């Protein structure tokens, strides 16, 4: 769609429109959300994330912002976890040290990254009951049990 001039002109016009509105109403979550959607369509997820986080600062119950931020962190973590697993699975016969390193890397991802996504997922589940969010929370719990030792 990016080669379609009407699509490009439409996004440019929308972008300009929201920028103008936000000059006068910088804390309007509807306008911030519209701008964030445009950034997503342009594959500027980092810019969209900043806008959605600003929305959450202004309106902690904003469902759309919660869903985007949650998905952003959860799927970035999934990507990292999958990379670790793929690298480990390339080893035909891993040594104890390689297994320990794999488990440590996985524990770090689960502890640091999934723990960042977990409260966000819980908030989305509270605001909007979703079987997908529930499955993701169950996945995090399963990974916590597997890779984080009980103290």
């Amino acid at each position: 769609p990016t080669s379609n001039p009407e699509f490009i002109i439409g996004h440019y016009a929308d972008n300009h429109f929201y920028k103008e509105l936000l000059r006068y109403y910088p804390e309007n979550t509807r306008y911030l959300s519209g701008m964030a959607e445009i950034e997503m369509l342009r594959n500027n997820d980092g810019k969209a994330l900043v806008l959605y986080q600003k929305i959450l600062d202004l309106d902690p119950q904003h469902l759309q912002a919660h869903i985007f931020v949650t998905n952003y962190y959860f799927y970035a973590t999934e990507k990292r976890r999958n990379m670790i697993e793929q690298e480990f699975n390339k080893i035909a016969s891993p040594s104890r040290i390689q297994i320990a390193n794999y488990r440590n890397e996985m524990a770090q991802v689960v502890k640091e990254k999934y723990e960042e996504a977990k409260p966000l997922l819980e908030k989305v589940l509270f605001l909007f009951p979703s079987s997908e969010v529930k499955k993701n929370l169950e996945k995090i719990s399963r990974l916590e049990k597997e890779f984080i030792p009980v103290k």
Side-chain angles (χ1 to χ4, degrees):
T2 54
S3 61
N4 179 342
E6 293 168 7
F7 181 83
I8 294 169
I9 290 168
H11 283 295
Y12 174 78
D14 288 344
N15 189 27
H16 183 70
F17 173 74
Y18 282 114
K19 279 186 179 179
E20 276 300 304
L21 286 171
L22 288 168
R23 275 185 38 196
Y24 297 102
Y25 307 101
E27 295 188 349
N28 184 302
T29 57
R30 208 166 102 220
Y31 302 153
L32 287 165
S33 182
M35 189 70 186
E37 286 181 43
I38 290 168
E39 293 300 347
M40 281 180 10
L41 289 171
R42 293 173 149 184
N43 291 322
N44 293 331
D45 290 350
K47 288 181 180 180
L49 178 65
V50 169
L51 289 165
Y52 279 125
Q53 286 175 323
K54 182 175 182 178
I55 292 168
L56 290 175
D57 290 341
L58 297 168
D59 179 5
Q61 304 300 314
H62 197 282
L63 180 62
Q64 182 180 352
H66 271 291
I67 289 170
F68 178 84
V69 171
T70 299
N71 284 334
Y72 182 88
Y73 286 117
F74 183 79
Y75 290 108
T77 302
E78 281 287 280
K79 185 177 177 181
R80 175 72 182 126
R81 185 184 62 78
N82 286 332
M83 284 175 44
I84 293 168
E85 284 186 349
Q86 286 173 359
E87 286 301 311
F88 180 72
N89 290 334
K90 288 178 184 177
I91 304 168
S93 183
S95 68
R96 280 198 235 176
I97 291 175
Q98 289 169 317
I99 292 169
N101 286 341
Y102 162 74
R103 293 194 59 74
N104 285 339
E105 280 187 83
M106 288 297 284
Q108 184 178 0
V109 167
V110 170
K111 193 173 187 179
E112 293 174 10
K113 299 298 182 183
Y114 280 117
E115 287 302 313
E116 196 172 323
K118 190 175 180 178
L120 299 169
L121 286 162
E122 289 167 343
K123 182 71 172 189
V124 169
L125 190 61
F126 175 77
L127 293 173
F128 182 75
S130 159
S131 61
E132 189 66 28
V133 171
K134 193 172 182 181
K135 280 192 273 183
N136 290 341
L137 282 167
E138 289 167 357
K139 182 178 198 171
I140 291 172
S141 292
R142 202 171 51 252
L143 289 167
E144 286 172 332
K145 287 176 187 168
E146 184 177 351
F147 292 105
I148 299 178
V150 179
K151 294 178 183 180

